[in-house]
Amino acid sequence: MPVQDSVTLRMTPPPADLVAYGRQVIGAEANGLLALSAALDENFAKAVTTLLALRGRVVTTGMGKSGYVARKTMATLSSTGLPSVFVHPGEAAHGDLGMLMPGDGLIAFSNSGETSELQPVISHARKLGLPIIAVAGRADSLLMRQADIGILLPAVGEACPANLAPTTSTAMMMALGDALALAAMQVRGVTRAGFEELHPGGAIGKRLMRVAAIMHQGDAMPIVPLDCQMRDVIMMMTSRSFGMTGVVDGEGRLVGVITDGDLRRHFDTLIESTAADMMTPDPKWVSPGCLIEDALALLNKHKITAMFAVEEDGSDRPVGIVHVHDFLRLGLA
């Protein structure tokens, strides 16, 4: 006879039940986050103040699922300007305790607060005089008693039907790590420009690029003077392939634009007209220092496909042009 599997096989519930159950799990975790928000007290503020006062790095630690939360918290802290490092409790007693240095601070995550693997890390941190921030679900746990600052997770059951798999508890820990990082970021006054310096790559890096990094400059710009004959205007537009041209006055200031739509609307009078006759005055423009995310939003708002970047010194001289295709190449449009 075949050996019966230790896992009892159950009939797969119909899709509608799966969706309902998925919503139930998410709802349980959402309730945990609401309880956490309501439970935050002065210890949270003390933790943020402590992190900001460190001369060294923030060291995060945790075992199992709490360890993954600690890693993510470390990454979020670093990305928002607080140098951080993760120490694995299992490796700490085998040499990694050397990663803790005077001037550092420790954040330890453990839902039970009794994780034995954390003890070497906690003991070494205390020996070095490091401030210890504990995040746990039991106020009377060993971890909370050893910590300088304890942030207690609300007594909310796990989303797991057996109340065993870390689900709601890790969701609360993850949110708390984010809250610590962003509160510290807020106090430090980190701006989008500062955030850009820490995120030069990936999707965030692309969103934080400036127009100057992607705009077409010099001879690539379609520019004509006010008195330019329309035959030459059309040749300029055709040769530059932006579907438009800028019109400048005698001092080189951008005073208007002519688009393909303008040509179609005034087709009957093209021959005897000049750029001044056909242009749309006061065109939309951006500065070279504008975030490309904001520039794309401006294009979409006004339903246009291209616009000029104008010198920021008040001279209104065009220094570049951006097209929606430039954003498409970056995967942003």
Side-chain angles (χ1 to χ4, degrees):
M1 292 180 61
V3 178
Q4 185 174 353
D5 191 276
S6 60
V7 178
T8 303
L9 297 178
R10 298 180 179 178
M11 184 178 296
T12 303
D17 289 346
L18 289 176
V19 171
Y21 185 69
R23 289 173 176 161
Q24 178 183 327
V25 171
I26 294 171
E29 295 193 358
N31 288 336
L33 294 179
L34 290 174
L36 174 63
S37 175
L40 286 188
D41 56 18
E42 67 276 1
N43 283 337
F44 176 82
K46 289 179 182 177
V48 174
T49 302
T50 298
L51 295 178
L52 291 170
L54 294 176
R55 292 180 290 105
R57 306 155 305 163
V58 181
V59 180
T60 67
T61 191
M63 195 70 188
K65 305 298 186 294
S66 297
Y68 291 116
V69 173
R71 287 180 186 273
K72 197 275 181 182
T73 299
M74 174 274 294
T76 303
L77 286 165
S78 295
S79 74
T80 53
L82 282 180
S84 306
V85 63
F86 170 77
V87 172
H88 192 293
E91 301 291 339
H94 298 276
D96 280 4
L97 285 176
M99 297 174 68
L100 278 70
M101 302 290 291
D104 291 344
L106 179 68
I107 306 177
F109 294 87
S110 171
N111 189 35
S112 69
E114 302 290 347
T115 306
S116 60
E117 291 89 347
L118 289 177
Q119 288 312 303
V121 184
I122 300 299
S123 297
H124 191 63
R126 290 177 66 85
K127 185 182 301 183
L128 293 174
L130 309 189
I132 301 172
I133 300 169
V135 178
R138 287 175 46 193
D140 61 346
S141 63
L142 179 60
L143 176 59
M144 293 289 273
R145 294 199 305 270
Q146 292 177 314
D148 299 294
I149 302 169
I151 301 179
L152 182 65
L153 300 175
V156 179
E158 303 287 5
C160 167
N163 198 33
L164 294 174
T167 46
T168 304
S169 59
T170 50
M172 290 191 292
M173 287 183 188
M174 192 79 76
L176 185 58
D178 288 343
L180 288 169
L182 297 184
M185 177 181 174
Q186 183 76 5
V187 173
R188 291 171 58 242
V190 177
T191 62
R192 292 183 73 170
F195 202 70
E196 176 185 5
E197 293 180 2
L198 301 174
H199 296 78
I204 293 178
K206 289 178 181 178
R207 290 174 55 196
L208 294 174
M209 289 172 61
R210 308 289 169 165
V211 167
I214 66 169
M215 68 186 186
H216 306 266
Q217 306 175 62
D219 292 340
M221 292 189 297
I223 298 289
V224 297
L226 279 166
D227 60 356
C228 185
Q229 296 296 311
M230 286 307 300
R231 176 180 179 277
D232 296 324
V233 170
I234 294 172
M235 290 180 63
M236 173 61 73
M237 293 174 64
T238 302
S239 66
R240 299 299 186 269
S241 302
F242 286 100
M244 66 176 293
T245 185
V247 182
V248 296
D249 63 14
E251 297 181 3
R253 296 177 299 186
L254 183 69
V255 293
V257 294
I258 300 173
T259 67
D260 288 339
D262 294 323
L263 299 183
R264 289 190 292 272
R265 283 187 291 272
H266 300 92
F267 184 79
D268 292 339
T269 58
L270 285 181
I271 300 300
E272 62 270 21
S273 299
T274 63
D277 300 321
M278 292 290 169
M279 74 177 190
T280 298
D282 300 319
K284 305 300 177 187
W285 56 268
V286 292
S287 69
C290 176
L291 291 169
I292 62 173
E293 181 180 46
D294 294 335
L296 177 60
L298 191 60
L299 287 176
N300 291 332
K301 177 182 178 180
H302 296 287
K303 299 180 180 179
I304 54 179
T305 59
M307 62 183 167
F308 283 92
V310 172
E311 192 64 70
E312 297 179 89
D313 60 4
S315 65
D316 292 340
R317 292 187 177 89
V319 292
I321 185 172
V322 288
H323 193 277
V324 69
H325 289 165
D326 301 319
F327 301 95
L328 286 170
R329 280 190 288 271
L330 291 172
L332 297 176

